[in-house]
Amino acid sequence: MNAPVAASVGANGEPYGTLHGHILTPEGFVHGELRHAQGRIQAISGRPVSEREARASGEPLILPGFIDLHVHGGGGHDTMDAGDAALHIARAHARHGTTSLLATTMTAPAGEIEAAFRAIGPICAARQGGSARVLGVHLEGPYINPGKLGAQPDFAREASISEVRRLHALAPIRLITVAPELPGHLQLIGQMVAEGFRVQVGHTAGCYEDGVAALEAGAGGFTHLFNAMTGMHHREPGMVGAALAHGHYAEIIPDLLHVHPGALKVALRTIPRLYCVTDSTAAAGMPDGEYHLGRHKVFKCLGGVRLADGTLAGSALTMDQALRNFVSLGLDVAEASARTSTFAADYLGLAKRGRLVAGAMADLVMLDPALTLQRVVVEGESIELQDA
């Protein structure tokens, strides 16, 4: 790696790092230097430049580190494996530029979900070297519609606030996916939100009106938009229609398999803070072959991950590729960066992540003009990319 970076010592004797290149700030690109120490950005200095000038210069681009709110696995490991699986997953994704993520659980018997939470809790409490920060858990199941399982195992059940509280005591729950049309779920959405949980709609057979009602009850977004939800028809707009008409935030999987590029462009035009997730499985960052997703066997081939019957089952996407895919659709780098970092941070209320400003966490990626990853820094630590 030849990306320009230097380590030195500040006036107080603490080590700091200095990176040089075209730095994407909330006001646009700056050609200059970024200095960080003790895990935080200390200062950014330089002259403003256009994105066109930045990309034409041949010098590195420095962007906020990627934030992924829907991660089932990576590097051959699955969140539901418990043990130290979440740590291996966080390390695998860090090598692709993800600086923070949510470990995402599958629909499963209560004991299996609890075991996963028990394993994830300590990893959330203390970041280990070489890994992305695990911010908490996305509880994708089991409060979903059994008719819209997608690749989820068949253990869906009605939501329980007592179960949510119990799991939250083991590891912090940052997102909960709920099918709002199931009995009692609208009321529970309001109760979960009142207790500080962020709820979003997904794996749902609900109609347009169910989606609107869920938003009114406090739901904040939609889980992997278009997938595992009722589609849009001009006389039955479905859950997709509710998202496109009323959603402010929504996840989307831009691997160009889960969602057609044309549908991606529709969502980009209509949902102001549409953001990327990978929905990645153990197959992410691994060669073609057989892996597992919760209780399911899955198969990676031709860039995708599928069940034996051909159903898409999560993805092999990494966030650096997601950024490139967004740019291939016509987004400029600044907007692609916002949709792979800043909007996800804003959705979770993380003011010190997802942006390069003084005082923010020193979470960043450095890319060459072709958007190939050159360096990753997580909370000030430079991550080894040899296996990326």
Side-chain angles (χ1 to χ4, degrees):
M1 297 297 175
N2 297 315
V5 60
S8 190
V9 178
N12 61 358
E14 293 289 341
Y16 64 77
T18 303
L19 291 87
H20 299 271
H22 290 90
I23 304 155
L24 180 59
T25 73
E27 291 74 39
F29 278 99
V30 169
H31 182 228
E33 70 174 33
L34 179 151
R35 180 172 294 187
H36 63 89
Q38 298 179 301
R40 293 187 180 269
I41 297 171
Q42 301 299 306
I44 297 172
S45 60
R47 63 177 180 85
V49 294
S50 68
E51 179 170 318
R52 182 176 180 179
E53 181 181 350
R55 294 198 67 184
S57 71
E59 296 182 54
L61 305 178
I62 301 172
L63 311 182
F66 306 131
I67 300 174
D68 192 350
L69 305 188
H70 195 143
V71 179
H72 289 288
H77 298 269
D78 183 279
T79 300
M80 298 302 291
D81 293 341
D84 60 357
L87 175 58
H88 288 290
I89 292 164
R91 285 177 171 160
H93 283 279
R95 293 195 293 268
H96 291 275
T98 296
T99 54
S100 51
L101 59 83
L102 295 185
T104 304
T105 54
M106 293 286 286
T107 297
E112 292 181 19
I113 295 176
E114 183 173 320
F117 267 73
R118 288 187 182 279
I120 294 167
I123 295 169
C124 295
R127 189 184 73 85
Q128 300 296 310
S131 72
R133 168 68 69 177
V134 180
L135 298 166
V137 178
H138 177 171
L139 185 65
E140 189 183 8
Y143 312 137
I144 61 177
N145 193 309
K148 285 289 186 180
L149 290 172
Q152 295 275 344
D154 192 7
F155 293 98
R157 58 184 182 272
E158 290 185 12
S160 163
I161 190 65
S162 61
E163 181 177 37
V164 169
R165 292 169 182 153
R166 186 170 62 253
L167 292 171
H168 185 61
L170 300 175
I173 297 175
R174 306 302 295 265
L175 285 179
I176 306 172
T177 292
V178 172
E181 71 276 11
L182 298 180
H185 278 198
L186 272 180
Q187 180 181 355
L188 278 171
I189 287 172
Q191 187 174 0
M192 290 175 184
V193 171
E195 294 195 18
F197 298 105
R198 188 169 295 282
V199 178
Q200 56 191 34
V201 176
H203 286 275
T204 170
C207 62
Y208 170 89
E209 288 77 13
D210 291 322
V212 173
L215 292 172
E216 291 175 346
F222 297 83
T223 298
H224 45 51
L225 182 67
F226 295 111
N227 295 109
M229 64 178 62
T230 48
M232 182 173 180
H233 182 276
H234 60 285
R235 286 191 292 273
E236 295 181 13
M239 194 60 69
V240 169
L244 296 177
H246 303 284
H248 190 66
Y249 285 98
E251 303 177 356
I252 202 158
I253 308 170
D255 61 354
L256 310 184
L257 292 173
H258 277 78
V259 183
H260 187 281
L264 266 164
K265 291 180 179 181
V266 170
L268 286 164
R269 290 190 67 175
T270 57
I271 300 178
R273 296 203 157 214
L274 185 79
Y275 64 90
C276 164
V277 296
T278 62
D279 197 8
S280 59
T281 64
M286 299 294 286
D288 286 359
E290 180 180 314
Y291 299 92
H292 67 285
L293 176 61
R295 290 189 166 206
H296 286 318
K297 286 184 180 179
V298 296
F299 303 87
K300 179 182 178 182
C301 65
L302 301 175
V305 182
R306 292 175 170 82
L307 301 177
D309 66 3
T311 300
L312 283 168
S315 84
L317 184 65
T318 55
M319 290 293 278
D320 56 336
Q321 186 60 51
L323 179 89
R324 291 189 289 270
N325 287 352
F326 271 144
V327 172
S328 77
L329 294 175
L331 276 66
D332 60 30
V333 171
E335 182 179 355
S337 174
R339 297 189 186 278
T340 53
S341 184
T342 312
F343 293 167
D346 291 346
Y347 185 48
L348 291 190
L350 305 175
K352 298 299 183 181
R353 297 186 191 269
R355 67 213 78 226
L356 300 183
V357 294
M361 300 304 298
D363 291 345
L364 55 91
V365 294
M366 180 179 282
L367 306 104
D368 67 19
L371 305 182
T372 301
L373 199 62
Q374 300 293 299
R375 185 175 297 275
V376 179
V377 176
V378 180
E379 297 179 2
E381 179 195 2
S382 186
I383 302 297
E384 177 59 56
L385 301 184
Q386 64 181 9
D387 296 324

